[in-house]
């Protein structure tokens, strides 16, 4: 059966300061069947610019990283070396990032009904909240003129 929509998030941690603060919410999303983490990497850029990356399920670098790795259902190689290079290029030296690929499992029942009824998902567009805020502010400004 086809997967539900897949999304990629790259979360930066300036100064390599991953505190694990996002873990409780990620755990809740996974436990409640909202998302399934299907791939993940930790990308580290040293102060000299050297880049390294580790699969989270292979990391033995602290309790918080290990807990993040345990959310990973089954690393399937969706993240490529080219992806890592692109994400690392955006990192400041001395920073790290977690790249999380997850399936929107909340969508699975609707996907099944769409397929059973002969429907097709023709588009799946994610619009970042900051972009929506900017558009709404611009619309409000135009309405005030």
């Amino acid at each position: 059966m086809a997967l539900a929509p897949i999304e990629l998030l790259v979360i930066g941690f300036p100064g390599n300061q991953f505190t694990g603060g996002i873990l409780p919410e990620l755990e809740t999303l996974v436990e409640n069947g909202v998302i399934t983490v299907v791939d993940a990497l930790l990308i580290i850029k040293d102060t000299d610019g050297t880049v390294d990356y580790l699969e989270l399920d292979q990391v033995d670098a602290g309790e918080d990283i290990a807990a993040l790795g345990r959310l990973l259902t089954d690393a399937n190689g969706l993240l490529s070396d080219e992806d890592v290079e692109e994400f690392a290029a955006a990192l400041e030296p001395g920073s790290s990032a977690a790249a999380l690929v997850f399936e929107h499992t909340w969508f699975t029942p609707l996907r099944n009904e769409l397929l059973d009824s002969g429907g097709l998902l023709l588009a799946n567009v994610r619009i970042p909240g900051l972009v929506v805020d900017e558009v709404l502010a611009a619309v409000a400004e135009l309405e005030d003129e």
Side-chain angles (χ1 to χ4, degrees), residues 7 9 125-137:
E7 185 164 348
L9 291 179
V125 178
R126 176 70 65 164
I127 303 171
L130 292 174
V131 172
V132 174
D133 291 344
E134 291 173 4
V135 170
L136 291 175

Side-chain angles (χ1 to χ4, degrees), residues 58-78:
Q58 299 172 347
V59 174
D60 186 23
E63 185 178 322
D64 292 331
I65 298 298
L68 187 56
R70 285 190 294 274
L71 294 176
L72 181 60
T73 302
D74 183 27
N76 56 23
L78 289 174

Side-chain angles (χ1 to χ4, degrees), residues 26-143:
L26 278 172
E27 289 168 347
T28 298
L29 292 170
V30 169
E31 289 168 6
N32 291 333
V34 176
I35 65 170
T36 299
V37 180
V38 296
D39 205 357
L41 293 174
L42 179 65
I43 304 163
I44 303 163
K45 191 172 202 178
D46 291 335
T47 54
D48 67 0
T50 302
V51 175
D52 194 13
Y53 70 94
L54 305 163
E55 297 279 347
L56 292 184
D57 59 348
Q58 299 172 347
V59 174
D60 186 23
E63 185 178 322
D64 292 331
I65 298 298
L68 187 56
R70 285 190 294 274
L71 294 176
L72 181 60
T73 302
D74 183 27
N76 56 23
L78 289 174
L79 293 166
S80 68
D81 291 344
E82 292 81 18
D83 294 327
V84 172
E85 290 173 16
E86 180 181 337
F87 305 148
L91 284 176
E92 294 293 323
S95 296
S96 58
L100 303 173
V101 180
F102 59 91
E103 177 185 13
H104 287 278
T105 46
W106 60 266
F107 185 79
T108 301
L110 178 57
R111 181 218 45 217
N112 293 344
E113 290 301 322
L114 285 170
L115 294 174
D116 290 348
S117 67
L120 298 172
L121 180 62
L122 297 178
N124 178 30
V125 178
R126 176 70 65 164
I127 303 171
L130 292 174
V131 172
V132 174
D133 291 344
E134 291 173 4
V135 170
L136 291 175
V139 169
E141 189 175 306
L142 288 173
E143 289 175 349

